[in-house]
Amino acid sequence: MKTALIGLGRTGKNVAEYLIKQDTLAMVLCRQSSPNANKDIGEILGSNLTGITVETIDHLERKLFHKQPDVLIDFSGHTFLKENIHTLAKCGVNVVTAVTDYEPAEIERLRIFAEKGNIGIVMAPNITYGVNVMMLMAEIAAELMGDYDFEVFEEHHKHKKDRPSGTAKKIVNKIRTGLLEEKEIPEHVVRAGGIVGKHKVLICGEFDKIEISHESFSRVAFAEGAYKAAKFINGKTGFYEMSDIFEYERQQRRQIVIQHQPTEFEKEDPA
Ligand SMILES: NC(=O)c1ccc[n+]([C@@H]2O[C@H](COP(=O)([O-])OP(=O)(O)OC[C@H]3O[C@@H](n4cnc5c(N)ncnc54)[C@H](OP(=O)(O)O)[C@@H]3O)[C@@H](O)[C@H]2O)c1
């Protein structure tokens, strides 16, 4: 699989490093005004030269046809995919977008386009494995503890524009899915310093409480999730979220467990 990357900001640089280590990065894109344009990605990362020059997004179609990446990983801003989705589809490039500031109408447009079979998209405002497991736990807690109060807390660095985070909104949706009746779920937001990302669900009753929390120590966690999503969407069409990928992996693991169940014959004759 050949990957392309757009968005060399705080997170994108870590993702670039990770993709180089996986030997999958074939192309890096940036805005026309970016100071990174026409530099070797190794130079930007302060490492060895790689031979991969950061290219601007003008004449995108020609550049994609030339490099032929299978999947583009997007850590830029919401306008990139909106403006270039048709070009990516035309060039047969699927997309993992980790961008979090899409308007609901934009997401709907992307969903309809992908569901028509034009392209494969993973929409991943919550890209780490851990945070997805945490959401599952919150949903289960909501199913079992509907009479408790649920509150969601999130903390991120002071440059993060959206508040609450896409992940916090998703956690609230998961809790609502688990609850039988409508109830208020307060959300608390901190934007300070260099916090990479922290989410917590407080489940509080009259006599006890549960706290489920997830914290990313390093942006490499985002890179790992993006790579996992890229491997999943490679060669597929349709619109997916990270939860679809984790559900798919869960099913695969269950299949393996079933296949490894000992037969009656094996049970009788352990040798
Ligand atoms: N899903 C997750 O779990 C997760 C995790 C981390 C981050 N994110 C999201 O990923 C995005 C980037 O985060 P960040 O913290 O790395 O932000 P950042 O430091 O501001 O970096 C954004 C980068 O994207 C480039 N960019 C912005 N708009 C663009 C466009 N329209 N076309 C091409 N390039 C564009 C910028 O280019 P210039 O250098 O030219 O300014 C910049 O290098 C945000 O939406 C953030 O919320 C998601």
Side-chain angles (χ1 to χ4, degrees), residues 199-214:
H199 292 88
K200 183 176 88 176
V201 181
L202 171 69
I203 306 155
C204 200
E206 286 290 320
F207 310 109
D208 64 354
K209 70 171 181 181
I210 295 177
E211 290 183 5
I212 311 170
S213 75
H214 173 266

Side-chain angles (χ1 to χ4, degrees), residues 2-162:
K2 287 204 288 186
T3 57
L5 173 69
I6 183 149
L8 280 181
R10 277 176 296 273
T11 317
K13 286 200 182 86
N14 286 272
V15 178
E17 253 166 18
Y18 185 86
L19 295 176
I20 291 169
K21 279 194 193 129
Q22 306 302 320
D23 199 18
T24 177
L25 190 65
M27 183 178 199
V28 182
L29 292 159
C30 70
R31 283 197 280 210
Q32 278 173 280
S33 57
S34 172
N36 297 322
N38 305 316
K39 288 186 185 159
D40 188 286
I41 181 71
E43 184 189 341
I44 296 162
L45 301 175
S47 59
N48 295 338
L49 295 186
T50 60
I52 303 166
T53 304
V54 178
E55 299 176 72
T56 53
I57 52 175
D58 54 315
H59 305 293
L60 185 62
E61 187 175 329
R62 177 168 58 72
K63 291 174 182 172
L64 290 175
F65 268 121
H66 179 60
K67 292 280 165 63
Q68 300 206 330
D70 300 296
V71 181
L72 172 83
I73 295 175
D74 176 14
F75 275 90
S76 64
H78 71 116
T79 53
F80 170 75
L81 194 53
K82 196 166 84 176
E83 288 164 8
N84 297 290
I85 183 77
H86 289 95
T87 307
L88 291 160
K90 193 171 171 189
C91 299
V93 182
N94 282 347
V95 183
V96 173
T97 180
V99 168
T100 54
D101 57 348
Y102 292 109
E103 293 294 326
E106 286 174 350
I107 297 177
E108 208 39 39
R109 207 182 121 244
L110 295 170
R111 177 198 297 281
I112 291 167
F113 187 65
E115 282 179 350
K116 281 184 182 157
N118 295 305
I119 191 170
I121 298 178
V122 179
M123 176 67 59
N126 45 288
I127 208 156
T128 56
Y129 196 95
V131 91
N132 279 276
V133 174
M134 179 203 176
M135 280 193 245
L136 196 62
M137 292 163 79
E139 188 178 340
I140 294 168
E143 275 170 20
L144 298 174
M145 307 177 86
D147 53 340
Y148 280 54
D149 295 324
F150 286 74
E151 304 217 0
V152 174
F153 298 75
E154 63 105 335
E155 297 176 13
H156 282 92
H157 55 86
K158 61 186 171 195
H159 304 290
K160 187 166 174 65
K161 292 178 199 126
D162 50 327

